[in-house]
Amino acid sequence: MSQTARIQKPRFNAQTWIILAGIAIIGSVAPFVEPTLVGQMTVFWIMVLLSYTWDTMGGQMGYNSFGNVVFFGIGMYVTAAIQVGLYTDLGTYTAAKGGIKLTLTLGQYFTGLAIGLVAAGLAGFLAALLIGSGILGLRGHYFAIGSLALGIFVAELASGWELIGAGSGLVPPLYPGVESARSLWLYFGCFALAGITFLVLQWVYSRRFGLALNAIRDDEDKAEAMGLHTTRYKTIAWAISGIFLGVCGGLAGNFFQFIDPRDTAFSGATYGVWMVLMVVLGGKGTFWGPLIGALLFHVFKELFWSYLLGLQYIALGLLVVVIVVFFPEGIVGWFRERFPHWFGERVDPPPEATAADPVREPAE
């Protein structure tokens, strides 16, 4: 039986660049058009970052990870610890539990932030390499459970570590300038990081490395039989995600202005699950799926929290059920199956029966 052939155009064609340019223009002017929504728009770009970095594992490679939040939280703590530690003793600062107010100049603040973000990306990368070399030997639901346990373990570890504030949390240094300026540069920082993450990851997927990730997703045993070092590829892919998650966590910690080990940094029940839901909603392993999923999820979440307070998690659960039942391939996947030409694909119909192989009429 012949199969339907599907031919897809390259990821970055003229139409794609036009759409990206439109997103860049809208994202650049949005905070000036609606300055009262800058905070919500900043959260949206954080969601986009979480979505695309999770898709590297869950979409491109087929590994459902609940441990990505670990690198997000590590980035928060590393950035804040460096911001504080450069100018005062970190242990004394955290022991005071908010009793010490660290006053910095603009130069000191941005110097600490820049060094902290670089260190956060490096810490996320190294942590993913170290953890991935051990845990990525697991497959399927074993890996999912192991990554979930990893997030819980790190959250409990941070909750008992007095140097970083333990259960009392850690407060990053306050911005020494005007609050509106702080909101604006944090927005553009998250916006720029989301753009860089998107472009880097799409470039990685277009290389042979991306083909290796897709081979692991399609059939890991066959990929290994063909000589592919699957654990190495999986670990490197997780480490690439860890870089961007670490930097994202550093920016998010400064945005939230308070880092709690369980409810903010390593919150598997919120950010750890939300990044999965966003990708599933938009479409795993698709070009625009994580972005569309992040947008829709953020809008729904804000509506639920605004108008269904007290029932917001019930509404969110119903949303998940609707997604799984009616859009198992995600929004983009659903449209892609029905309208492939919208995505630059051509579907060749199966060949007709030829004279050499005629269709026989049933005997009377």
Side-chain angles (χ1 to χ4, degrees), residues 44-66:
F44 165 68
W45 291 116
I46 292 174
M47 293 293 190
V48 171
L49 280 159
L50 295 177
S51 183
Y52 270 106
T53 50
W54 189 88
D55 188 61
T56 301
M57 297 290 292
Q60 300 297 326
M61 205 170 66
Y63 267 65
N64 295 320
S65 170
F66 293 95

Side-chain angles (χ1 to χ4, degrees), residues 77-210:
Y77 273 110
V78 168
T79 302
I82 289 178
Q83 287 180 278
V84 173
L86 283 177
Y87 303 107
T88 189
D89 181 69
L90 179 61
T92 303
Y93 179 84
T94 54
K97 302 187 185 306
I100 297 177
K101 181 177 292 186
L102 183 60
T103 303
L104 305 177
T105 64
L106 277 174
Q108 290 174 327
Y109 181 88
F110 282 111
T111 298
L113 179 64
I115 297 174
L117 292 178
V118 172
L122 180 61
F125 177 78
L126 294 177
L129 282 181
L130 179 63
I131 298 171
S133 60
I135 196 174
L136 280 168
L138 302 174
R139 296 187 184 182
H141 57 275
Y142 296 106
F143 172 75
I145 295 172
S147 63
L148 177 63
L150 174 67
I152 297 172
F153 167 75
V154 176
E156 293 300 319
L157 182 65
S159 298
W161 193 358
E162 294 292 341
L163 180 63
I164 57 174
S168 299
L170 176 61
V171 180
L174 297 177
Y175 179 66
V178 181
E179 177 61 26
S180 59
R182 170 187 169 275
S183 300
L184 204 57
W185 70 255
L186 274 170
Y187 167 83
F188 279 107
C190 293
F191 176 48
L193 180 62
I196 294 170
T197 302
F198 173 83
L199 293 175
V200 170
L201 290 180
Q202 296 304 329
W203 178 82
V204 169
Y205 301 154
S206 67
R207 307 284 102 182
R208 294 186 63 180
F209 188 85

Side-chain angles (χ1 to χ4, degrees), residues 213-362:
L213 298 186
N214 295 158
I216 293 171
R217 177 189 63 194
D218 296 338
D219 195 320
E220 188 168 352
D221 290 329
K222 287 184 179 179
E224 284 187 342
M226 295 177 65
L228 200 67
H229 299 284
T230 56
T231 302
R232 182 185 306 170
Y233 277 99
K234 290 185 292 185
T235 304
I236 294 174
W238 216 15
I240 293 173
S241 297
I243 295 174
F244 298 111
L245 281 168
V247 179
C248 178
L251 290 171
N254 278 266
F255 174 76
F256 297 131
Q257 294 186 299
F258 179 73
I259 304 172
D260 183 90
R262 294 189 181 93
D263 296 333
T264 309
F266 305 106
S267 179
T270 54
Y271 300 110
V273 173
W274 290 351
M275 62 179 73
V276 180
L277 295 180
M278 289 185 290
V279 178
V280 172
L281 173 60
K284 295 169 62 176
T286 60
F287 192 80
W288 298 112
L291 176 64
I292 294 174
L295 176 61
L296 293 177
F297 180 83
H298 184 57
V299 170
F300 279 120
K301 183 175 71 69
E302 292 303 316
L303 289 175
F304 293 159
W305 261 251
S306 298
Y307 299 103
L308 297 174
L309 190 60
L311 300 174
Q312 67 270 29
Y313 286 106
I314 296 176
L316 200 59
L318 290 175
L319 175 64
V320 174
V321 172
V322 171
I323 294 169
V324 173
V325 173
F326 296 101
F327 302 98
E329 299 298 323
I331 301 295
V332 174
W334 188 87
F335 279 100
R336 186 176 180 177
E337 287 298 321
R338 288 155 180 78
F339 309 101
H341 57 282
W342 290 4
F343 300 86
E345 297 179 349
R346 186 178 76 248
V347 178
D348 294 338
E352 299 292 337
T354 60
D357 187 20
V359 178
R360 300 180 181 274
E361 296 292 334

